[in-house]
Amino acid sequence: MRHIPEVRRRRLGEELRKLRQSAGLTSGQTARLLGWHQSKVSRIETGVSGVKDEDLAGLLDALGVTDPQLRLLLGALAGTTNKGQGWWMAYGGVIPPQYRDFISLESQARTARTLETSVVPGLLQTPAYARAVTRAALGGLPAATVDSLVEVRLARQEVLRTGIPLELHAVLDEAVLRRQVGGPGVMREQLLRLSELARLPHVCLQVLPFTAGGYVGLTGPFVIFSFPHITDLDLVVLDHLTNSLYLERKEDLEAYCAAFGTMQAHALSTEDSLDLIAGIGDGA
């Protein structure tokens, strides 16, 4: 288990090495093009060292990488897109670096597969529900801090409204729908929002009913991010309100992907899930 900087440096190094090899360059030739020592290229490619934004830009130029989306994704891995370019930087005094890294990667992901066992996924929360969750999870915070954290949670939802929106696959434990977070009124509004969002073409929402009994993901929620351009960059994220931990081992990735597929197979269909949500909402 790692914090994102280590995972990010290693994955970035792997991709830069592949790009260099595709360009037909040795590490020594690349270093000479940039006026670097060869060891600098080696440290970046092995993930030992990070890379500054100006160095990454020069390296991508030298390797002939012109695709703007690929450059942006590599910048997210390098952390360079966090330097004054993301909206989340305005909340630097409220959210820690790990959470900013999470948001940066979420903004670049192509798909997200998420299991939630206790609360509605942040990307699907209403403002009132987000506020209730924030207050419950981080009690005692000043009102201004709560406001900022709720703003961050709601701003993240823009990934579902962009021109090429995030493709979201969510599996929710039935307990998520029945827990009265914020009270009946808040829950009715939240369940209605779930029903609306679940009908979007890029959102797949399924419920694991209580009748399913125990299941492989019962021990806790997680998110699996997949990215365009880099097919082997899947990341498993154990997401907390203001922090995140990452699993990077290949066997961990395979286990979580297989577990999510199993849960989808045992969950209600999207249509039956909507019926259950509507039924619970009518009684909330």
Side-chain angles (χ1 to χ4, degrees):
M1 193 174 291
R2 302 256 191 265
H3 286 299
I4 186 59
E6 297 175 56
V7 180
R8 194 172 56 192
R9 286 197 306 267
R10 184 176 63 80
R11 294 299 180 89
L12 175 66
E14 291 174 357
E15 293 308 315
L16 291 174
R17 185 181 67 253
K18 292 176 184 177
L19 289 169
R20 173 180 58 76
Q21 292 171 342
S22 296
L25 296 171
T26 66
S27 59
Q29 289 171 329
T30 302
R32 285 193 293 275
L33 284 172
L34 295 166
W36 297 352
H37 193 281
Q38 184 177 354
S39 62
K40 180 174 180 177
V41 176
S42 297
R43 289 196 303 271
I44 292 172
E45 290 186 352
T46 56
V48 173
S49 298
V51 56
K52 297 179 181 178
D53 50 357
E54 61 269 20
D55 286 346
L56 179 62
L59 180 56
L60 295 179
D61 289 342
L63 299 179
V65 179
T66 59
D67 187 310
Q69 289 187 320
L70 178 55
R71 290 179 71 106
L72 191 60
L73 175 56
L74 293 173
L77 289 178
T80 60
T81 55
N82 281 353
K83 298 180 179 179
Q85 298 183 29
W87 59 262
W88 48 90
M89 293 308 296
Y91 298 90
V94 178
I95 59 177
Q98 293 93 339
Y99 192 30
R100 295 199 299 270
D101 284 325
F102 175 86
I103 297 171
S104 175
L105 292 173
E106 181 179 68
S107 71
Q108 298 302 319
R110 179 186 68 237
T111 64
R113 288 167 282 177
T114 183
L115 166 72
E116 282 292 352
T117 58
S118 300
V119 298
V120 171
L123 294 180
L124 305 177
Q125 291 178 5
T126 65
Y129 186 96
R131 185 173 301 278
V133 168
T134 302
R135 285 175 172 165
L138 299 171
L141 288 178
T145 301
V146 173
D147 290 343
S148 294
L149 289 172
V150 172
E151 287 175 10
V152 170
R153 182 57 55 97
L154 299 179
R156 282 177 48 200
Q157 298 175 2
E158 187 61 28
V159 297
L160 296 177
R161 297 188 286 265
T162 60
I164 304 178
L166 176 73
E167 185 178 316
L168 178 64
H169 299 261
V171 174
L172 309 185
D173 191 295
E174 185 176 343
V176 172
L177 308 178
R178 295 191 180 276
R179 179 168 287 104
Q180 293 287 310
V181 176
V186 171
M187 282 306 301
R188 278 195 296 271
E189 180 188 33
Q190 179 60 73
L191 293 173
L192 180 60
R193 174 68 64 84
L194 283 179
S195 295
E196 293 171 349
L197 293 176
R199 291 180 168 84
L200 294 175
H202 53 281
V203 174
C204 176
L205 179 62
Q206 293 178 264
V207 177
L208 264 170
F210 289 147
T211 53
Y215 57 91
V216 68
L218 191 59
T219 55
F222 61 86
V223 182
I224 306 170
F225 284 136
S226 299
F227 299 87
H229 302 289
I230 306 177
T231 57
D232 60 350
L233 186 59
D234 287 9
L235 290 175
V236 176
V237 187
L238 308 182
D239 182 25
H240 305 282
L241 185 64
T242 60
N243 201 354
S244 302
L245 294 174
Y246 295 72
L247 299 177
E248 65 169 314
R249 296 189 308 164
K250 181 180 179 181
E251 50 267 42
D252 289 329
L253 295 171
E254 291 175 346
Y256 273 82
C257 289
F260 191 81
T262 298
M263 286 183 288
Q264 282 186 304
H266 286 85
L268 299 176
S269 67
T270 54
E271 293 81 6
D272 289 343
S273 295
L274 282 171
D275 288 342
L276 179 59
I277 292 170
I280 295 173
D282 289 341

